[in-house]
Amino acid sequence: MASTEHQLYDTPAAIVLQLFIHSLRGEKERAHSLYAKFTSATTTDAFDDSDFDGVYQLAGRDAVTHVQRDEHATASAFRRANLLAGIWLESSGGGDDDAVPLELERVEYLFERAFIDMNVHDPERLSYLRVLEDVGFRKHNAYLSDGPSVEFSRQHVRVCRQLLRTLQHLESRGMIASDSEAFTSAEVLRWMLEDDVLDGSEFVLHHYVIEQLDGIHSTLLLFLSDFHELNDREDAENYVARLRAVDAKLARADRMIEQQAEAGVLPPRFALDKVLQSIETIVASGVEGCALSSTFVDKASAFAADLVPVVHTLVRTVVLPAYERLAACVRAVADKYATDDAGVWKLPHGERFYAHCLRHQTTTTMTPAEIHALGLRRVAAIHDAMRKVIVEQLGEPADTDPMVFMRRLNDAKADERLFYADTPEQREQCLNDFRALVAESEALVAPLFDVRPKQPLVIKRVPSHMEPGAPAAFYYEPSLDGKRDGQFFVNLADMGAIQKYEMRTLTAHEGVPGHHFQLSIAVEQKAMPAFRRSPSGFTAYLEGCTLCARPNALSQVARSHSHTLNSRT
């Protein structure tokens, strides 16, 4: 059965939205029943209003009243629900900036609507979250998101403004008690919405499309190779569809990079050099060496061997040429606009943008000067703690400068107690050592945590195309459906940058009990609104939590490893 009105991912919008709602509410049986009815029905008469109760609850009273008017009263339940879904999408995704607040019966409906509206138009984000796959829907996995573009960002601002107006309206009706859990969720949502509205209104061009850490050139490949599921034929066909869309996505990136450069928004030259190095690595890998080819061969050959040549053709004719064009774009803007200046102070309205970024990262109202002063005090305190360990436990002179001592350690590349050799065997040994540290830390923290993550932690090497600009390590939390494990990536490009005495700290920070405990446990909180289970954007919480956890959890182990004592600080 098909409908040409109000589609999402080539599917009637009412079906997609209702499946999304069932997923958020943990109603798997109802979701599977609805989708089975849709895929098998030959007529819309098979549905009634109760099949779409969630859409009616979240669309808002005015929208419901509209579809229940006389001219729609004789329409089928399916058609009315899809008209209602169309009104929903128009008001959230493409409506004007002056959209009226929604009339909702419960504040919990706003929390659900907020999560749906902020994600449903972003298929890459949906694939990462895996909020629809668990109820049987995967068609969004054939699409790439419409960004990066100014319009994509402005659409998000429109969504946030309507949600913010609705939150304020519900507050004015006395629907959020100040002593309730809903009040905490409402305050978190308010902060997120206000922050996103300011960011997208005043600073829509200020976030680099390309930079050495998280630029689109590397994150797109990581997304397709690690976060696009490849478990059966449908997944494989969706993968092929996404490869076809790479050219258009990187063309949007080209245009956005040029817009940013013309507006005075461009990373410093050293960052652009690393971006180009990464892109050149991707292009030089060739068709079969490209991560997008090897990933498909490794994961999908058993059930989609006939698509391997199709993937190779797309990598050769679509993907690699698009990356070559991206490299040419980066070189052109670098030659014309790049400088060695580093820091957002150099950007248009840089001082105001810097203050905004600090508020976004910390959620405080401290001024930049106050935060800088706090940082200096904290660095001094850390140096004092390091000096105490260096002097009292390692026998160094009392006037030892901690940074001079650390440079001395870092220069001892040939000391196998401190560093790994630059060989494939030692790279594998490094990964195995991290796995052993995770197991050791798991045992250590067992008596300290009565709540532990259900998902395991997987240690992986940073893909080669990301290595030039990637940090020493980073972490990705499990998916909301629990089907993807926590992932701890380690950068092995330069083995001289892997200090054995820092590995325990890195394990505690990124893995156990750091981000893996913090974010995996958050994902598992089914009773909490979904926007709080995936707490991106709250950097002070995300990083501060791990900084607090690691010294307490590791102090016992650190005492028994003299060459790792520095990791306590």
mmCIF file of all heavy atoms in Angstrom, residues 168-208:
data_model
loop_
_atom_site.group_PDB
_atom_site.id
_atom_site.type_symbol
_atom_site.label_atom_id
_atom_site.label_comp_id
_atom_site.label_asym_id
_atom_site.label_seq_id
_atom_site.Cartn_x
_atom_site.Cartn_y
_atom_site.Cartn_z
ATOM 1 N N GLN A 168 6.988 27.273 27.057
ATOM 2 C CA GLN A 168 6.555 28.466 27.797
ATOM 3 C C GLN A 168 5.045 28.484 27.968
ATOM 4 O O GLN A 168 4.529 28.885 29.028
ATOM 5 C CB GLN A 168 7.041 29.710 27.058
ATOM 6 C CG GLN A 168 8.562 29.858 27.045
ATOM 7 C CD GLN A 168 9.052 30.855 26.017
ATOM 8 O OE1 GLN A 168 8.333 31.241 25.094
ATOM 9 N NE2 GLN A 168 10.316 31.268 26.145
ATOM 10 N N HIS A 169 4.327 28.045 26.947
ATOM 11 C CA HIS A 169 2.865 28.002 27.021
ATOM 12 C C HIS A 169 2.399 27.001 28.077
ATOM 13 O O HIS A 169 1.481 27.297 28.872
ATOM 14 C CB HIS A 169 2.297 27.643 25.646
ATOM 15 C CG HIS A 169 0.810 27.536 25.601
ATOM 16 N ND1 HIS A 169 -0.028 28.615 25.833
ATOM 17 C CD2 HIS A 169 -0.015 26.467 25.357
ATOM 18 C CE1 HIS A 169 -1.286 28.230 25.726
ATOM 19 N NE2 HIS A 169 -1.299 26.928 25.440
ATOM 20 N N LEU A 170 2.997 25.826 28.115
ATOM 21 C CA LEU A 170 2.616 24.827 29.107
ATOM 22 C C LEU A 170 2.927 25.314 30.518
ATOM 23 O O LEU A 170 2.171 25.055 31.462
ATOM 24 C CB LEU A 170 3.336 23.508 28.822
ATOM 25 C CG LEU A 170 3.004 22.810 27.494
ATOM 26 C CD1 LEU A 170 3.742 21.479 27.408
ATOM 27 C CD2 LEU A 170 1.512 22.605 27.337
ATOM 28 N N GLU A 171 4.024 26.034 30.672
ATOM 29 C CA GLU A 171 4.351 26.614 31.977
ATOM 30 C C GLU A 171 3.293 27.627 32.394
ATOM 31 O O GLU A 171 2.889 27.680 33.570
ATOM 32 C CB GLU A 171 5.726 27.270 31.924
ATOM 33 C CG GLU A 171 6.877 26.277 31.876
ATOM 34 C CD GLU A 171 8.221 26.961 31.715
ATOM 35 O OE1 GLU A 171 8.310 27.977 30.996
ATOM 36 O OE2 GLU A 171 9.189 26.485 32.322
ATOM 37 N N SER A 172 2.857 28.438 31.450
ATOM 38 C CA SER A 172 1.840 29.453 31.767
ATOM 39 C C SER A 172 0.515 28.817 32.178
ATOM 40 O O SER A 172 -0.272 29.437 32.893
ATOM 41 C CB SER A 172 1.625 30.378 30.573
ATOM 42 O OG SER A 172 0.950 29.708 29.519
ATOM 43 N N ARG A 173 0.282 27.589 31.745
ATOM 44 C CA ARG A 173 -0.935 26.861 32.122
ATOM 45 C C ARG A 173 -0.743 26.091 33.421
ATOM 46 O O ARG A 173 -1.648 25.384 33.868
ATOM 47 C CB ARG A 173 -1.334 25.893 31.006
ATOM 48 C CG ARG A 173 -1.840 26.564 29.738
ATOM 49 C CD ARG A 173 -2.013 25.560 28.598
ATOM 50 N NE ARG A 173 -2.857 24.436 28.976
ATOM 51 C CZ ARG A 173 -3.007 23.323 28.251
ATOM 52 N NH1 ARG A 173 -2.331 23.195 27.116
ATOM 53 N NH2 ARG A 173 -3.800 22.351 28.656
ATOM 54 N N GLY A 174 0.406 26.213 34.067
ATOM 55 C CA GLY A 174 0.663 25.541 35.334
ATOM 56 C C GLY A 174 0.796 24.035 35.216
ATOM 57 O O GLY A 174 0.489 23.304 36.160
ATOM 58 N N MET A 175 1.302 23.548 34.073
ATOM 59 C CA MET A 175 1.353 22.111 33.826
ATOM 60 C C MET A 175 2.662 21.471 34.261
ATOM 61 O O MET A 175 2.828 20.262 34.118
ATOM 62 C CB MET A 175 1.111 21.830 32.331
ATOM 63 C CG MET A 175 -0.286 22.196 31.870
ATOM 64 S SD MET A 175 -0.519 21.917 30.087
ATOM 65 C CE MET A 175 -0.229 20.148 29.959
ATOM 66 N N ILE A 176 3.618 22.275 34.764
ATOM 67 C CA ILE A 176 4.911 21.717 35.156
ATOM 68 C C ILE A 176 5.169 22.073 36.615
ATOM 69 O O ILE A 176 5.571 23.190 36.942
ATOM 70 C CB ILE A 176 6.041 22.255 34.262
ATOM 71 C CG1 ILE A 176 5.705 22.044 32.782
ATOM 72 C CG2 ILE A 176 7.362 21.566 34.611
ATOM 73 C CD1 ILE A 176 6.689 22.670 31.838
ATOM 74 N N ALA A 177 4.931 21.137 37.516
ATOM 75 C CA ALA A 177 5.126 21.378 38.948
ATOM 76 C C ALA A 177 6.607 21.518 39.258
ATOM 77 O O ALA A 177 7.439 20.761 38.761
ATOM 78 C CB ALA A 177 4.512 20.242 39.751
ATOM 79 N N SER A 178 6.936 22.486 40.096
ATOM 80 C CA SER A 178 8.344 22.787 40.384
ATOM 81 C C SER A 178 9.034 21.695 41.180
ATOM 82 O O SER A 178 10.267 21.649 41.237
ATOM 83 C CB SER A 178 8.448 24.114 41.145
ATOM 84 O OG SER A 178 7.747 24.033 42.373
ATOM 85 N N ASP A 179 8.271 20.794 41.805
ATOM 86 C CA ASP A 179 8.879 19.731 42.611
ATOM 87 C C ASP A 179 8.849 18.385 41.889
ATOM 88 O O ASP A 179 9.051 17.338 42.500
ATOM 89 C CB ASP A 179 8.167 19.612 43.956
ATOM 90 C CG ASP A 179 6.677 19.281 43.814
ATOM 91 O OD1 ASP A 179 6.160 19.396 42.675
ATOM 92 O OD2 ASP A 179 6.053 18.922 44.820
ATOM 93 N N SER A 180 8.629 18.396 40.601
ATOM 94 C CA SER A 180 8.497 17.148 39.859
ATOM 95 C C SER A 180 9.740 16.863 39.033
ATOM 96 O O SER A 180 10.542 17.747 38.745
ATOM 97 C CB SER A 180 7.283 17.215 38.931
ATOM 98 O OG SER A 180 7.500 18.181 37.904
ATOM 99 N N GLU A 181 9.888 15.603 38.629
ATOM 100 C CA GLU A 181 10.973 15.230 37.721
ATOM 101 C C GLU A 181 10.782 15.920 36.378
ATOM 102 O O GLU A 181 11.756 16.256 35.703
ATOM 103 C CB GLU A 181 11.003 13.711 37.536
ATOM 104 C CG GLU A 181 12.116 13.210 36.636
ATOM 105 C CD GLU A 181 13.513 13.473 37.183
ATOM 106 O OE1 GLU A 181 13.647 13.583 38.421
ATOM 107 O OE2 GLU A 181 14.457 13.556 36.381
ATOM 108 N N ALA A 182 9.525 16.154 36.015
ATOM 109 C CA ALA A 182 9.248 16.844 34.754
ATOM 110 C C ALA A 182 9.828 18.256 34.759
ATOM 111 O O ALA A 182 10.222 18.776 33.708
ATOM 112 C CB ALA A 182 7.740 16.900 34.499
ATOM 113 N N PHE A 183 9.906 18.891 35.932
ATOM 114 C CA PHE A 183 10.470 20.239 36.017
ATOM 115 C C PHE A 183 11.953 20.206 35.630
ATOM 116 O O PHE A 183 12.423 21.068 34.875
ATOM 117 C CB PHE A 183 10.313 20.784 37.437
ATOM 118 C CG PHE A 183 10.929 22.148 37.637
ATOM 119 C CD1 PHE A 183 10.257 23.281 37.230
ATOM 120 C CD2 PHE A 183 12.186 22.282 38.216
ATOM 121 C CE1 PHE A 183 10.821 24.542 37.399
ATOM 122 C CE2 PHE A 183 12.763 23.532 38.386
ATOM 123 C CZ PHE A 183 12.070 24.663 37.982
ATOM 124 N N THR A 184 12.689 19.206 36.123
ATOM 125 C CA THR A 184 14.105 19.080 35.762
ATOM 126 C C THR A 184 14.248 18.881 34.266
ATOM 127 O O THR A 184 15.079 19.524 33.609
ATOM 128 C CB THR A 184 14.746 17.907 36.514
ATOM 129 O OG1 THR A 184 14.628 18.131 37.922
ATOM 130 C CG2 THR A 184 16.214 17.760 36.153
ATOM 131 N N SER A 185 13.437 17.992 33.697
ATOM 132 C CA SER A 185 13.501 17.746 32.260
ATOM 133 C C SER A 185 13.153 18.997 31.479
ATOM 134 O O SER A 185 13.773 19.299 30.445
ATOM 135 C CB SER A 185 12.562 16.602 31.871
ATOM 136 O OG SER A 185 12.991 15.375 32.435
ATOM 137 N N ALA A 186 12.171 19.738 31.953
ATOM 138 C CA ALA A 186 11.767 20.964 31.266
ATOM 139 C C ALA A 186 12.884 22.002 31.286
ATOM 140 O O ALA A 186 13.112 22.707 30.289
ATOM 141 C CB ALA A 186 10.507 21.543 31.907
ATOM 142 N N GLU A 187 13.596 22.101 32.404
ATOM 143 C CA GLU A 187 14.697 23.056 32.483
ATOM 144 C C GLU A 187 15.854 22.649 31.572
ATOM 145 O O GLU A 187 16.487 23.498 30.937
ATOM 146 C CB GLU A 187 15.177 23.182 33.942
ATOM 147 C CG GLU A 187 14.189 23.898 34.851
ATOM 148 C CD GLU A 187 13.879 25.302 34.341
ATOM 149 O OE1 GLU A 187 14.798 26.125 34.256
ATOM 150 O OE2 GLU A 187 12.702 25.560 34.007
ATOM 151 N N VAL A 188 16.132 21.353 31.502
ATOM 152 C CA VAL A 188 17.170 20.877 30.583
ATOM 153 C C VAL A 188 16.769 21.180 29.145
ATOM 154 O O VAL A 188 17.576 21.669 28.335
ATOM 155 C CB VAL A 188 17.414 19.366 30.770
ATOM 156 C CG1 VAL A 188 18.342 18.834 29.682
ATOM 157 C CG2 VAL A 188 17.995 19.087 32.148
ATOM 158 N N LEU A 189 15.509 20.897 28.811
ATOM 159 C CA LEU A 189 15.024 21.155 27.453
ATOM 160 C C LEU A 189 15.081 22.641 27.135
ATOM 161 O O LEU A 189 15.485 23.032 26.026
ATOM 162 C CB LEU A 189 13.601 20.634 27.301
ATOM 163 C CG LEU A 189 12.969 20.819 25.917
ATOM 164 C CD1 LEU A 189 13.770 20.109 24.839
ATOM 165 C CD2 LEU A 189 11.517 20.335 25.923
ATOM 166 N N ARG A 190 14.693 23.487 28.094
ATOM 167 C CA ARG A 190 14.723 24.930 27.859
ATOM 168 C C ARG A 190 16.148 25.394 27.540
ATOM 169 O O ARG A 190 16.363 26.160 26.602
ATOM 170 C CB ARG A 190 14.218 25.690 29.088
ATOM 171 C CG ARG A 190 14.179 27.230 28.888
ATOM 172 C CD ARG A 190 14.213 27.975 30.211
ATOM 173 N NE ARG A 190 13.314 27.382 31.179
ATOM 174 C CZ ARG A 190 11.993 27.552 31.168
ATOM 175 N NH1 ARG A 190 11.429 28.312 30.250
ATOM 176 N NH2 ARG A 190 11.243 26.978 32.087
ATOM 177 N N TRP A 191 17.105 24.893 28.309
ATOM 178 C CA TRP A 191 18.487 25.301 28.065
ATOM 179 C C TRP A 191 18.933 24.876 26.670
ATOM 180 O O TRP A 191 19.539 25.657 25.938
ATOM 181 C CB TRP A 191 19.410 24.695 29.123
ATOM 182 C CG TRP A 191 20.793 25.265 29.061
ATOM 183 C CD1 TRP A 191 21.274 26.336 29.746
ATOM 184 C CD2 TRP A 191 21.868 24.812 28.220
ATOM 185 N NE1 TRP A 191 22.581 26.572 29.397
ATOM 186 C CE2 TRP A 191 22.975 25.665 28.455
ATOM 187 C CE3 TRP A 191 21.998 23.787 27.300
ATOM 188 C CZ2 TRP A 191 24.186 25.504 27.801
ATOM 189 C CZ3 TRP A 191 23.201 23.623 26.644
ATOM 190 C CH2 TRP A 191 24.289 24.478 26.901
ATOM 191 N N MET A 192 18.630 23.645 26.289
ATOM 192 C CA MET A 192 19.014 23.147 24.970
ATOM 193 C C MET A 192 18.398 23.991 23.857
ATOM 194 O O MET A 192 19.068 24.356 22.891
ATOM 195 C CB MET A 192 18.573 21.688 24.810
ATOM 196 C CG MET A 192 19.305 20.707 25.698
ATOM 197 S SD MET A 192 18.572 19.039 25.645
ATOM 198 C CE MET A 192 18.755 18.646 23.907
ATOM 199 N N LEU A 193 17.112 24.296 23.991
ATOM 200 C CA LEU A 193 16.414 25.030 22.935
ATOM 201 C C LEU A 193 16.915 26.460 22.831
ATOM 202 O O LEU A 193 17.166 26.964 21.725
ATOM 203 C CB LEU A 193 14.907 25.012 23.209
ATOM 204 C CG LEU A 193 14.234 23.634 23.166
ATOM 205 C CD1 LEU A 193 12.779 23.744 23.610
ATOM 206 C CD2 LEU A 193 14.320 23.024 21.775
ATOM 207 N N GLU A 194 17.056 27.136 23.972
ATOM 208 C CA GLU A 194 17.547 28.514 23.937
ATOM 209 C C GLU A 194 18.957 28.573 23.359
ATOM 210 O O GLU A 194 19.287 29.476 22.573
ATOM 211 C CB GLU A 194 17.522 29.108 25.348
ATOM 212 C CG GLU A 194 16.116 29.379 25.865
ATOM 213 C CD GLU A 194 16.106 29.902 27.296
ATOM 214 O OE1 GLU A 194 17.153 29.788 27.980
ATOM 215 O OE2 GLU A 194 15.051 30.414 27.728
ATOM 216 N N ASP A 195 19.791 27.611 23.735
ATOM 217 C CA ASP A 195 21.167 27.581 23.239
ATOM 218 C C ASP A 195 21.193 27.353 21.733
ATOM 219 O O ASP A 195 21.929 28.019 21.000
ATOM 220 C CB ASP A 195 21.935 26.480 23.959
ATOM 221 C CG ASP A 195 23.414 26.471 23.598
ATOM 222 O OD1 ASP A 195 24.118 27.405 24.016
ATOM 223 O OD2 ASP A 195 23.844 25.535 22.914
ATOM 224 N N ASP A 196 20.377 26.423 21.249
ATOM 225 C CA ASP A 196 20.357 26.125 19.817
ATOM 226 C C ASP A 196 19.776 27.271 19.004
ATOM 227 O O ASP A 196 20.218 27.538 17.882
ATOM 228 C CB ASP A 196 19.565 24.848 19.550
ATOM 229 C CG ASP A 196 20.368 23.590 19.839
ATOM 230 O OD1 ASP A 196 21.500 23.720 20.328
ATOM 231 O OD2 ASP A 196 19.861 22.487 19.590
ATOM 232 N N VAL A 197 18.773 27.975 19.546
ATOM 233 C CA VAL A 197 18.194 29.114 18.831
ATOM 234 C C VAL A 197 19.230 30.218 18.678
ATOM 235 O O VAL A 197 19.402 30.791 17.590
ATOM 236 C CB VAL A 197 16.938 29.641 19.567
ATOM 237 C CG1 VAL A 197 16.533 31.011 19.026
ATOM 238 C CG2 VAL A 197 15.779 28.661 19.397
ATOM 239 N N LEU A 198 19.954 30.525 19.751
ATOM 240 C CA LEU A 198 20.988 31.555 19.678
ATOM 241 C C LEU A 198 22.087 31.143 18.712
ATOM 242 O O LEU A 198 22.524 31.932 17.870
ATOM 243 C CB LEU A 198 21.576 31.808 21.067
ATOM 244 C CG LEU A 198 22.764 32.792 21.120
ATOM 245 C CD1 LEU A 198 22.350 34.163 20.608
ATOM 246 C CD2 LEU A 198 23.313 32.894 22.539
ATOM 247 N N ASP A 199 22.510 29.887 18.818
ATOM 248 C CA ASP A 199 23.597 29.413 17.983
ATOM 249 C C ASP A 199 23.214 29.471 16.500
ATOM 250 O O ASP A 199 23.985 29.941 15.662
ATOM 251 C CB ASP A 199 23.934 27.968 18.357
ATOM 252 C CG ASP A 199 25.185 27.457 17.660
ATOM 253 O OD1 ASP A 199 26.277 27.848 18.097
ATOM 254 O OD2 ASP A 199 25.053 26.689 16.696
ATOM 255 N N GLY A 200 22.014 29.012 16.166
ATOM 256 C CA GLY A 200 21.591 28.970 14.779
ATOM 257 C C GLY A 200 21.155 30.298 14.218
ATOM 258 O O GLY A 200 21.107 30.472 12.994
ATOM 259 N N SER A 201 20.829 31.247 15.081
ATOM 260 C CA SER A 201 20.389 32.561 14.618
ATOM 261 C C SER A 201 21.569 33.490 14.376
ATOM 262 O O SER A 201 21.672 34.123 13.320
ATOM 263 C CB SER A 201 19.444 33.185 15.650
ATOM 264 O OG SER A 201 18.311 32.373 15.851
ATOM 265 N N GLU A 202 22.464 33.573 15.333
ATOM 266 C CA GLU A 202 23.570 34.527 15.243
ATOM 267 C C GLU A 202 24.844 33.926 14.655
ATOM 268 O O GLU A 202 25.650 34.640 14.060
ATOM 269 C CB GLU A 202 23.885 35.091 16.635
ATOM 270 C CG GLU A 202 22.787 35.993 17.199
ATOM 271 C CD GLU A 202 23.288 36.790 18.391
ATOM 272 O OE1 GLU A 202 24.473 37.188 18.382
ATOM 273 O OE2 GLU A 202 22.498 36.993 19.325
ATOM 274 N N PHE A 203 25.007 32.602 14.801
ATOM 275 C CA PHE A 203 26.304 32.012 14.461
ATOM 276 C C PHE A 203 26.158 30.832 13.493
ATOM 277 O O PHE A 203 26.865 29.846 13.600
ATOM 278 C CB PHE A 203 27.024 31.569 15.737
ATOM 279 C CG PHE A 203 27.161 32.655 16.761
ATOM 280 C CD1 PHE A 203 26.494 32.581 17.983
ATOM 281 C CD2 PHE A 203 27.927 33.785 16.500
ATOM 282 C CE1 PHE A 203 26.614 33.588 18.922
ATOM 283 C CE2 PHE A 203 28.048 34.805 17.433
ATOM 284 C CZ PHE A 203 27.388 34.716 18.646
ATOM 285 N N VAL A 204 25.247 30.964 12.544
ATOM 286 C CA VAL A 204 24.949 29.861 11.642
ATOM 287 C C VAL A 204 26.143 29.488 10.773
ATOM 288 O O VAL A 204 26.261 28.344 10.332
ATOM 289 C CB VAL A 204 23.712 30.203 10.779
ATOM 290 C CG1 VAL A 204 24.018 31.327 9.798
ATOM 291 C CG2 VAL A 204 23.201 28.973 10.046
ATOM 292 N N LEU A 205 27.055 30.422 10.533
ATOM 293 C CA LEU A 205 28.222 30.138 9.701
ATOM 294 C C LEU A 205 29.494 29.895 10.505
ATOM 295 O O LEU A 205 30.556 29.666 9.937
ATOM 296 C CB LEU A 205 28.471 31.297 8.725
ATOM 297 C CG LEU A 205 27.527 31.425 7.532
ATOM 298 C CD1 LEU A 205 27.839 32.698 6.740
ATOM 299 C CD2 LEU A 205 27.618 30.210 6.622
ATOM 300 N N HIS A 206 29.401 29.949 11.816
ATOM 301 C CA HIS A 206 30.616 29.968 12.630
ATOM 302 C C HIS A 206 31.208 28.592 12.934
ATOM 303 O O HIS A 206 32.326 28.511 13.446
ATOM 304 C CB HIS A 206 30.355 30.699 13.946
ATOM 305 C CG HIS A 206 30.449 32.190 13.825
ATOM 306 N ND1 HIS A 206 29.626 32.914 13.009
ATOM 307 C CD2 HIS A 206 31.286 33.085 14.405
ATOM 308 C CE1 HIS A 206 29.944 34.202 13.097
ATOM 309 N NE2 HIS A 206 30.947 34.327 13.937
ATOM 310 N N HIS A 207 30.488 27.520 12.663
ATOM 311 C CA HIS A 207 31.002 26.185 12.998
ATOM 312 C C HIS A 207 31.638 25.574 11.758
ATOM 313 O O HIS A 207 30.984 25.326 10.751
ATOM 314 C CB HIS A 207 29.874 25.300 13.528
ATOM 315 C CG HIS A 207 29.262 25.829 14.792
ATOM 316 N ND1 HIS A 207 29.861 25.661 16.019
ATOM 317 C CD2 HIS A 207 28.133 26.543 15.012
ATOM 318 C CE1 HIS A 207 29.116 26.236 16.954
ATOM 319 N NE2 HIS A 207 28.073 26.790 16.365
ATOM 320 N N TYR A 208 32.930 25.301 11.859
ATOM 321 C CA TYR A 208 33.691 24.833 10.706
ATOM 322 C C TYR A 208 33.107 23.542 10.121
ATOM 323 O O TYR A 208 32.898 22.572 10.849
ATOM 324 C CB TYR A 208 35.146 24.567 11.088
ATOM 325 C CG TYR A 208 35.921 25.767 11.583
ATOM 326 C CD1 TYR A 208 36.765 25.661 12.688
ATOM 327 C CD2 TYR A 208 35.841 26.994 10.934
ATOM 328 C CE1 TYR A 208 37.504 26.739 13.138
ATOM 329 C CE2 TYR A 208 36.583 28.087 11.373
ATOM 330 C CZ TYR A 208 37.403 27.956 12.481
ATOM 331 O OH TYR A 208 38.133 29.027 12.918
#
